[in-house]
Amino acid sequence: MQLFFILLTKVSYQFMDKKLHIDTLCVQAGYNPQKGEPRQVPIIQSTTFKYETSEQMGKLFDLEESGYFYTRLQNPTNDTVAAQIAAMEGGVAAMLTSSGQAANFFACFNICQAGDHMITTTSIYGGTYNLFGVTFPKMGIEITFIDQDASDEEWAAAFRPNTKLVFGETLSNPNVRILDIERIAGFAHQHGVPLIVDNTFPTPVNCRPFEFGADIVTHSTTKYMDGHGVQVGGVIVDSGNFDWEAQHDKFTCLTEPDASYHGLRYTEAFGKLAYITKATAQLMRDLGSIQSPQNAFYLHLGLQTLHVRMSRHCESALKVAQWLEQHPDVAWVRYPELENDPEHARQQRYMPNGSCGVMAFAVKGDRAFANRFMDNLQLVTIETHVADCHTCILHPASHTHRQLSNEALLAAGIDPDLMRLSIGLENADDLIADIQHALTQAHNA
């Protein structure tokens, strides 16, 4: 039975065909209204759902029958949008969460517990770095951080008998490094564990990690997928490709009986849907963090234009990056689409149609000059958000990572002078003029 993915299976024959272009999937996937049904995805703003008999409800709680019973676990609006994203990524199923942070937590905790070990690259978002480096050890999960470009020998040495997964970001935040997905997936699979990647920045429009060997994908849907900065959310997508039964003894949480569901075995009962079913039926049941139906609706609206927006973000970002790298006040620029960028070859391999609108750069001078520069920006706003229609900037050393020393910043792969610039949908020439004005004012102050 298909407990959590009714809508996904309903439209799979029409919209899950990988021959469809991503543009079409952005607009059409996940929802196929029939005669008399609303053309737009309906918002099912209800906590509970009615049934005729006690037996019907009991079967739902035993995972023996398909349906909805409480929105903390699942909701029709959420499932529609999850199906849409699963189709875009080329996965078999997905689950929405209340934030990207929740998505990364659930994705890993779904197959990790106290006494286990996981490996993560150092080039990841600061919040995720803290989740893995501070919170997970408190839960008894050991973490090994490793540079994604470490040698084969260093990667081999990072694995232990109790290692359960490898985690990385396809395009890292904030230092815009690109993960060599095929290489890292190879290490993970050699040791019988899945590769989980956060694909927030490129989105499935510009990178589909499953095609390069990744097993599970997460997103902060708060960013480009929403695109307007109006909702916080996350999603986990399962490729359905990892063979949990082949590693039966390593992943007993999926392959052995779950006492909370009368001895149900997820791999036996749900096959390729085992991972997402457990995450929904067990973790979402116990920990919450569901995305609201209203937020899922906003997300759906953003997804419909994602392919159009990503093209514009990349086009404008490249123009700004090319201007910055020629500017005498700029010390360095990192943007994968620049031909001399160290990540350019990987960008061409994994993201040939473009990366995203985010770049990193530094101005010449001290931190005071950098702060004066940011204070004089007018179109570009200083904010913690990134990857939406508004252009924004952040200086991690002064803002999100201000508690870290320069040595700690470098250990996390962040240069102390790095500024993260996220190019929105404004005219690129207007943004360039704003940056030039701010640099001039910073000198004159």
Side-chain angles (χ1 to χ4, degrees), residues 283-321:
L283 295 190
M284 196 63 78
R285 176 198 65 191
D286 294 346
L287 301 174
S289 296
I290 193 70
Q291 189 170 139
S292 75
Q294 186 75 47
N295 279 9
F297 174 77
Y298 293 145
L299 171 58
H300 169 69
L301 295 181
L303 291 171
Q304 290 182 314
T305 61
L306 182 61
H307 58 296
V308 180
R309 291 185 287 105
M310 289 305 294
S311 176
R312 177 62 180 267
H313 283 299
C314 293
E315 176 187 349
S316 295
L318 179 59
K319 188 171 184 177
V320 173

Side-chain angles (χ1 to χ4, degrees), residues 112 144 193 201 315 340-341 370 424 428 432 442:
C112 281
T144 293
V193 300
F201 273 4
E315 176 187 349
N340 62 350
D341 190 273
I432 289 171

Side-chain angles (χ1 to χ4, degrees), residues 7 41-45 49 68 74-83 96 292-298 300:
L7 289 165
V41 171
I43 305 169
I44 309 300
Q45 195 68 48
F49 302 84
Y68 299 96
Q74 61 174 142
N75 175 283
T77 305
N78 290 28
D79 278 1
T80 300
V81 181
L96 297 187
S292 75
Q294 186 75 47
N295 279 9
F297 174 77
Y298 293 145
H300 169 69

